[in-house]
Amino acid sequence: MFSFCTDPQSLDGLPWLACYLTTGKHMAFYASFGTVLILLAITAPVALAFGFLGATAARARFRPLAWLGKGYIAIVRGVPDIAFFLFFVIALDQAFEWIRHKIKCPDWDQPIRQGNDFVVCPAAKLPLSTSPQIWHEIYGFFLAVLTFAIVYGAFSANVLYGAMRAVPKAQLETAEAYGMTPRQTFWRILVPQMWIYALPGLSNLWMILIKATPLLFLLGVEDIVYWARELGAAKQARFSDYPHGDWRMWYFLALLIFYLAFTKLSEVVLARVTARLSHGQATLGGTGRSAAP
Amino acid sequence: MLKKLIAAATALAMGAGVALAASHSMTVRMGTEGAYPPYNFINDKGEVDGFERELGDELCRRANLTCEWVTNDWDSIIPNLVSGNYDTIIAGMSVTEERDQVIDFTEEYIPASPSAYVKLAGRDVDLENGVIAAQTGTIQANYVANSGATLVEYATPDETIAAVRNGEADAVLADKDYLAPIVEESNGELEFAGEVRIGGGVAMGIRESDQELKEKFNAAIRSMKEDGSLNALLKKWFGDEAPQW
Amino acid sequence: MSCWETIADYGLRSIGIGERLLPRSDFTLCQQFTLIGSGLIWNIYFGTFALLFGFFLATALAVGKAAKSPFIRKPSEWFIFVFRGSPLFIQFFFAYFLFLSLKSVSPVFDPFTAAWLGALIVLFLNTAAYSGEIFHGALMSVPKGEVEAADAFGMSGFTKFRRVIWPTMLRLAWPAYTNEAIFLFHATTLVFFSGFPAWQQRGDALYYASYFADKTFNPFVPYPILAGYFILLTLAIIGVFGLVNRRLNRHLPDAQKGRMKFRPNVIR
């Protein structure tokens, strides 16, 4: 990076540190913070959409649909997220490739499962084995987002389900009295009114989602924890221009600060949103006191 | 609702795939761990480096393949191979019977090399009954569990070394080639405490259904053995005393 | 070997009773169910004790956070912020590091680097922070009327807290606290995964699940088994907490009991 970095052995003190902190590896580390933030930014709305679908399904009149929604909420919430992450990505990947295989290679005569191997026709591979690495990374990222969304979608479904039931019955009955159809009541009254009840739960869920990101490295995404571990591990002079001992402590300290700062920021923003949404609501929060559970 | 989303996502991904299909020839994706010097590690630039990087690039050149390097966590390195996320494992993997039942191995490119114990210099350590650290899921962890010693398992190789340094474990058992540079550069803090032979040599792992690729790599490895270039590589990365072909 | 024999050999393997060596070839479904179930003992141990001890610290933190004196309030706020604001995984890392350094100070600290104590302490502090925040929220919404009524009865200080405020606080916090308990039990799977080393292959349910995934190279059997166990465990937690909830609300008229359920379930 800097011109004086050509011979790191001759440096010490601050110049050494400056060179050390600007190696290509460190750049990848800094970039991974962006990866995590982008992932959060994409996952949150997708998970919310999953949650909305799940909650709507769970309160559907059509029984099988309600069972499906409730089953989704109960099963996914009952399983530790880590257990999901450990096999879900491979399962999703195989499911996608299997679907593509059925569509793209109808004439393929070999079995897909050959012993332990999962073999689809080359055209069905995801991404194609010839595509550049960047597509593989994007695909891996996409799978991670989807997995996170499925898991946290179940939690947000639970919150939204509770929120939908918390909307005062009188409001819905009034809507009916005005001659609204159930569909209109749902979209015009229930959905706008439920957010204030859902917000405390969703805020908490957001906090939990932030703190679940260290598990990203299980999903094959090279995230901040992957790089912090890699960079912090002891380095020998034979394999690196910047040999050092076990520095994981410092890297984890940096992560700790990052997470604390991010949490603080989220708290401040969420408090403002809550204040805004509470405005004009007939709840404790709306009339001036801070609302709790 | 899930199905719909999957279908939509699949359609999207297919569109992206088709556009890219035409531009490349046969590409082989090489899966490695990237955390086990000198076999494979991530260098300062953030790229895969090490003995296996150099070997793999040369093998691909000889076999006329375009190769792409991918890193993957050690724990899931075999499931991801059989599920087709990459085409080979080249990650210092010893040939064992258990692994051979699930995947195929090419010819060995590193002769069976010993595993070694490392302890704090000057300590008396009972390797038979003491506390021995090893990385989870390695043949060494297996070996210690079977012996009378108390096994203590860590997720990464670095942590096993740290455990010896801070006294949690009496010694660590790992590949000698991995330990050698660490002992060398420890300024006398660490020393070898003994060797054992576990497992066979190191080879590339390839899907059982991928015989054609296996043959290509076998031919390339054989040619490197014959012209002595493999020996030169071994010497370069593992020192002058490295076992040769 | 019949399945009963497997259960006899491996049912208590996770706490060191039974066969010394884990199965290493010809893995049966029975072995996987038995060993993963055996590991669940540790998850239940960590979850139960952390929750039990954490409950008391959480109450103290909630009261502390509501205190007027900044010398009590600030430490409580910071404690809750740090433990709620950082991933458990990083807390485990620092705790292990700290306990290791303490170990060289005095042999008193020797057991702290073992998971049964060290990880329990981390989980205890972690759940105390989360529950403390939940309790604090509930404390803030205890109806004024109840407190004024207690004052009118001449109750003061501790009596008022123990007989009026605390029960109401618990009643209000209970749905959210149930969720915290579920999360805590799930979080126990991180202990051996990224926190503390496993000794002599004694680990929790996830440890054995990944052992089998590693040996059979097939993640699609052990992890779903693990998931199944945890769904049962979660149902059990919901059941137990539901019973307590009924007891906490037993004085309320039926209509209000029903309404409790309609409250949004706040997670953590």
Side-chain angles (χ1 to χ4, degrees), chain A:
Chain A
M1 176 101 180
F2 301 114
S3 53
F4 55 85
C5 289
T6 43
D7 185 20
Q9 272 91 347
S10 66
L11 300 170
D12 51 8
L14 273 183
W16 186 89
L17 197 65
C19 293
Y20 172 69
L21 290 177
T22 51
T23 56
K25 222 178 187 176
H26 275 86
M27 290 302 161
F29 175 51
Y30 306 139
S32 64
F33 282 90
T35 311
V36 168
L37 293 178
I38 294 171
L39 180 115
L40 281 172
I42 301 177
T43 305
V46 178
L48 200 58
F50 271 60
F52 189 75
L53 290 176
T56 318
R59 62 196 300 286
R61 293 242 170 80
F62 181 55
R63 280 293 172 76
L65 191 61
W67 289 332
L68 189 73
K70 284 182 176 155
Y72 166 58
I73 297 175
I75 290 175
V76 178
R77 276 182 76 228
V79 178
D81 45 7
I82 191 172
F84 253 102
F85 295 162
L86 282 169
F87 73 95
F88 213 60
V89 171
I90 297 182
L92 272 180
D93 181 43
Q94 292 193 352
F96 288 158
E97 290 189 346
W98 184 81
I99 294 167
R100 265 167 63 99
H101 179 86
K102 288 283 163 208
I103 300 169
K104 298 201 124 186
C105 310
D107 310 326
W108 193 260
D109 54 356
Q110 286 165 9
I112 291 184
R113 290 232 163 257
Q114 301 179 12
N116 298 295
D117 297 1
F118 178 83
V119 185
V120 291
C121 63
K125 288 235 94 68
L126 255 184
L128 294 168
S129 58
T130 50
S131 19
Q133 176 62 14
I134 182 77
W135 280 102
H136 288 272
E137 275 168 26
I138 291 173
Y139 178 65
F141 185 82
F142 160 77
L143 284 182
V145 167
L146 192 58
T147 313
F148 261 78
I150 290 173
V151 172
Y152 289 92
F155 288 101
S156 69
N158 185 46
V159 172
L160 293 179
Y161 183 70
M164 285 178 184
R165 300 180 69 168
V167 173
K169 275 253 155 46
Q171 294 188 5
L172 305 180
E173 280 159 8
T174 313
E176 233 169 285
Y178 272 103
M180 286 192 189
T181 61
R183 179 179 290 259
Q184 281 173 326
T185 313
F186 179 77
W187 285 110
R188 295 190 190 174
I189 309 294
L190 186 66
V191 173
Q193 287 296 86
M194 76 177 180
W195 294 111
I196 182 61
Y197 300 98
L199 202 67
L202 291 179
S203 310
N204 273 307
L205 198 53
W206 169 250
M207 299 291 184
I208 291 171
L209 184 63
I210 294 174
K211 270 154 275 155
T213 51
L215 295 179
L216 263 179
F217 81 102
L218 289 182
L219 302 179
V221 175
E222 290 177 355
D223 71 325
I224 47 183
V225 174
Y226 170 85
W227 285 113
R229 272 195 174 163
E230 169 62 39
L231 289 162
K235 296 277 175 300
Q236 286 85 45
R238 275 180 57 190
F239 309 120
S240 167
D241 290 334
Y242 304 92
H244 61 73
D246 187 351
W247 283 4
R248 277 179 305 161
M249 173 118 122
W250 304 111
Y251 284 94
F252 278 76
L253 201 61
L255 293 193
L256 180 71
I257 293 168
F258 168 74
Y259 278 111
L260 286 179
F262 197 43
T263 304
K264 190 83 216 167
L265 181 73
S266 304
E267 273 180 2
V268 171
V269 171
L270 286 169
R272 284 206 182 158
V273 175
T274 311
R276 194 154 241 185
L277 275 183
S278 308
H279 191 73
Q281 285 285 356
T283 62
L284 278 177
T287 51
R289 280 284 302 161
S290 70

Side-chain angles (χ1 to χ4, degrees), chain C residues 183-265:
Chain C
F183 266 106
L184 177 69
F185 275 89
H186 289 182
T188 57
T189 51
L190 274 175
V191 171
F192 294 104
F193 191 78
S194 70
F196 287 71
W199 288 75
Q200 288 188 314
Q201 301 185 311
R202 292 174 201 166
D204 72 331
L206 182 65
Y207 173 86
Y208 289 115
S210 56
Y211 175 84
F212 283 113
D214 182 59
K215 290 282 176 261
T216 59
F217 308 105
N218 179 4
F220 296 123
V221 177
Y223 292 128
I225 293 177
L226 173 74
Y229 273 123
F230 265 94
I231 291 175
L232 292 181
L233 183 60
T234 306
L235 289 177
I237 297 166
I238 293 175
V240 171
F241 274 71
L243 286 180
V244 178
N245 192 40
R246 266 235 299 265
R247 187 174 159 78
L248 284 171
N249 288 303
R250 70 188 186 283
H251 61 287
L252 294 178
D254 276 346
Q256 245 172 314
K257 263 185 223 170
R259 274 190 54 207
M260 267 301 295
K261 282 195 174 163
F262 288 94
R263 277 171 183 274
N265 243 358

Side-chain angles (χ1 to χ4, degrees), chain B residues 148-170:
Chain B
T150 303
L151 169 67
V152 47
E153 286 169 288
Y154 290 85
T156 60
D158 307 308
E159 284 167 288
T160 60
I161 309 286
V164 176
R165 285 214 162 98
N166 61 39
E168 272 294 87
D170 298 330

